[in-house]
Amino acid sequence: MSETAKEFTVQLTDLAATEALGTALGTQLRAGDLLILTGALGAGKTTLTQSLGVGLKVREGIISPTFVLARQHPSLVEGPGLIHVDAYRLKDQNDVDTLDLESTLAESVTVVEWGLGKVEHLTDSRLELQLDREALTAAAEKPAVNPWEEEADLDEPRLFTLKAIGPRWDEPAFEHLKSTLLDAVHTGELHA
Ligand SMILES: Nc1ncnc2c1ncn2[C@@H]1O[C@H](COP(=O)(O)OP(=O)(O)OP(=O)(O)O)[C@@H](O)[C@H]1O
Ligand SMILES: [Mg+2]
């Protein structure tokens, strides 16, 4: 059975665009949703998740969970809470299973940075999000941010790609999500 790829790419011209997209995305999610975030160190995965938390209306305080593998952000409006995971140091599915994300998945929105290849078994549907520092996509490995250059890092374009997988994201749900996100950043889809 052939299925059209539910996927699009958009340019996020600056930090504000990433925040607008994240907030809009947060308004579209519901309990049980799983999001996998991919992108180099400093690409903006945590930044995007912070805005997603604003749109979802969860309690603030999403900081990079690098040394805390999973953080729980309760809803402020009796909606789903947010589970924010950094899987950078987790090798595989077995490592992920120690976090017991299954127990919170159904009533939460679960966002996993560095989760590709590690969390897909949790549920049959997911959004795969990728952020690229456009100017640097050619460079294979980006070194950790140099603190002396941090100022120059403050506001840059990103390329954002979203791929929707599984029955949760049927054609109407995907098209609605896509148009909501494109509207939020006031731009059209990029065609490769
Ligand atoms: N357009 C943009 N979108 C997102 N972040 C941006 C943008 N322009 C600049 N930035 C900056 O890039 C940095 C992204 O850091 P962030 O912690 O979100 O990255 P990350 O992908 O979570 O990294 P890590 O892999 O280390 O967890 C922030 O300092 C943010 O202000
Ligand atoms: Mg991060």
Side-chain angles (χ1 to χ4, degrees):
M1 211 174 40
S2 79
E3 211 188 326
T4 38
K6 299 191 191 93
E7 182 173 346
F8 70 93
T9 297
V10 67
Q11 171 161 247
L12 303 171
T13 48
D14 51 20
L15 181 59
T18 301
E19 290 170 346
L21 180 122
T23 305
L25 177 59
T27 66
Q28 300 301 305
L29 299 173
R30 63 184 193 212
D33 284 345
L34 173 68
L35 280 67
I36 299 179
L37 267 53
T38 302
L41 292 170
K45 301 179 293 298
T46 300
T47 302
L48 182 75
T49 307
Q50 276 166 343
S51 299
L52 188 154
V54 172
L56 196 60
K57 298 198 169 74
V58 296
R59 202 194 292 157
E60 265 186 70
I62 298 172
I63 55 158
S64 180
T66 302
F67 297 102
V68 182
L69 293 176
R71 280 174 194 273
Q72 200 158 1
H73 302 269
S75 176
L76 298 169
V77 293
E78 295 182 26
L82 173 64
I83 304 289
H84 181 200
V85 183
D86 192 319
Y88 186 73
R89 286 179 173 73
L90 302 176
K91 278 196 313 295
D92 53 28
Q93 198 173 309
N94 290 337
D95 279 359
V96 166
D97 286 343
T98 64
L99 294 179
D100 195 25
L101 296 173
E102 290 90 340
S103 70
T104 48
L105 189 84
E107 76 268 19
S108 314
V109 168
T110 304
V111 176
V112 188
E113 297 186 36
W114 300 101
L116 212 59
K118 301 172 188 169
V119 297
E120 292 85 347
H121 62 291
L122 291 172
T123 178
D124 60 357
S125 300
R126 63 186 180 272
L127 294 177
E128 295 182 358
L129 313 182
Q130 175 146 1
L131 282 161
D132 289 303
R133 297 178 68 170
E134 217 178 345
L136 296 171
T137 40
E141 291 280 324
K142 190 183 87 68
V145 176
N146 174 348
W148 305 107
E149 288 174 6
E150 213 153 21
E151 217 165 342
D153 257 1
L154 277 181
D155 217 354
E156 296 171 332
R158 297 289 191 261
L159 268 189
F160 170 84
T161 300
L162 178 148
K163 194 171 169 185
I165 293 148
R168 156 75 168 99
W169 301 107
D170 60 9
E171 206 66 43
F174 170 71
E175 288 302 330
H176 180 71
L177 177 67
K178 178 174 157 182
S179 65
T180 303
L181 298 188
L182 292 179
D183 280 357
V185 294
H186 308 293
T187 185
E189 179 180 4
L190 281 181
H191 294 282

